[in-house]
Amino acid sequence: MTDVDTVDAYGVLTEPATLKIQRRLPGPVERIWAYLTESDQRRQWLASGEMELKVGAPFTFTWRNDELSEPPGNRPEGFSEEHSMESRITELHAPYKLSFAWGDSGEVTFELEPEGDEVLLTVIHRRISDRANMLMVGAGWHMHLDILVAKARGRKPDPFWEGWLRLKEEYDRRLPA
């Protein structure tokens, strides 16, 4: 990843339970919107799941992190090959903003801002339950976004699991106890 790709490589806490992380991606904005909203595009960097682009519409995210990089790396003990989460769209302003429920209590917002030939993607994850989840969420978004940047720029992404484990340790050092 290069300086062009990152605004600040690491997520930052904007409130005690809110993480914000940003990346610059090659445009146009509609291309990046497809990576966020179309299952076949999103599964390349995050999770699959068909979305009806309508506020209130339910959908299911299904993660298969072993498929995000070649090689995937060594999956940590306690993590399954596949994980799913039920969600619903809470806000939609295509192709610039998408918010959705994260589990029973959290919310994630994707914001896209065109900047010339580039697009600034801002991810805001709100109401993260505790510090342990904050470390997993911070490392997760960071690694998933690094894979998105690599895919969007036509590069081979780094192994997912080694990156996630390294980043989890880094977020443990960076985020307040």
Side-chain angles (χ1 to χ4, degrees):
M1 192 163 41
T2 66
D3 291 339
V4 172
D5 303 331
T6 62
V7 175
D8 179 0
Y10 290 89
V12 296
L13 293 177
T14 58
E15 296 176 2
T18 300
L19 184 79
K20 175 181 165 183
I21 188 166
Q22 297 180 302
R23 293 290 184 272
R24 278 200 179 80
L25 299 152
V29 70
E30 293 80 9
R31 176 176 183 247
I32 305 308
W33 183 253
Y35 272 111
L36 303 179
T37 60
E38 295 175 14
S39 181
D40 287 345
Q41 296 290 325
R42 191 178 349 90
R43 71 178 288 277
Q44 296 177 44
W45 69 277
L46 182 64
S48 63
E50 295 296 328
M51 282 182 170
E52 178 185 3
L53 294 178
K54 181 173 100 175
V55 172
F59 65 93
T60 302
F61 270 151
T62 300
W63 283 266
R64 295 177 189 92
N65 291 332
D66 290 355
E67 298 176 3
L68 299 178
S69 60
E70 183 57 44
N74 298 314
R75 185 176 348 109
E77 190 173 316
F79 286 83
S80 61
E81 287 182 42
E82 182 177 296
H83 170 73
S84 293
M85 177 183 75
E86 300 298 316
S87 190
R88 67 183 160 66
I89 295 175
T90 59
E91 187 175 357
L92 177 70
H93 302 285
Y96 301 103
K97 187 174 187 179
L98 171 67
S99 297
F100 52 90
W102 188 270
D104 294 332
S105 62
E107 182 178 62
V108 171
T109 298
F110 293 140
E111 297 176 346
L112 298 176
E113 183 180 336
E115 294 183 339
D117 292 342
E118 302 281 312
V119 176
L120 177 63
L121 167 61
T122 302
V123 179
I124 302 168
H125 192 132
R126 293 176 184 83
R127 296 189 306 279
I128 300 170
S129 60
D130 55 35
R131 189 170 193 283
N133 276 329
M134 183 70 72
L135 300 180
M136 291 180 64
V137 164
W141 280 120
H142 191 132
M143 193 64 208
H144 283 289
L145 291 173
D146 284 357
I147 288 174
L148 174 59
V149 168
K151 301 270 181 158
R153 295 198 181 277
R155 299 186 207 137
K156 181 180 176 182
D158 292 334
F160 179 83
W161 289 112
E162 275 80 359
W164 182 83
L165 287 167
R166 175 184 46 77
L167 288 164
K168 189 172 179 242
E169 290 176 7
E170 185 64 27
Y171 276 89
D172 190 27
R173 284 190 292 275
R174 290 174 169 267
L175 295 178

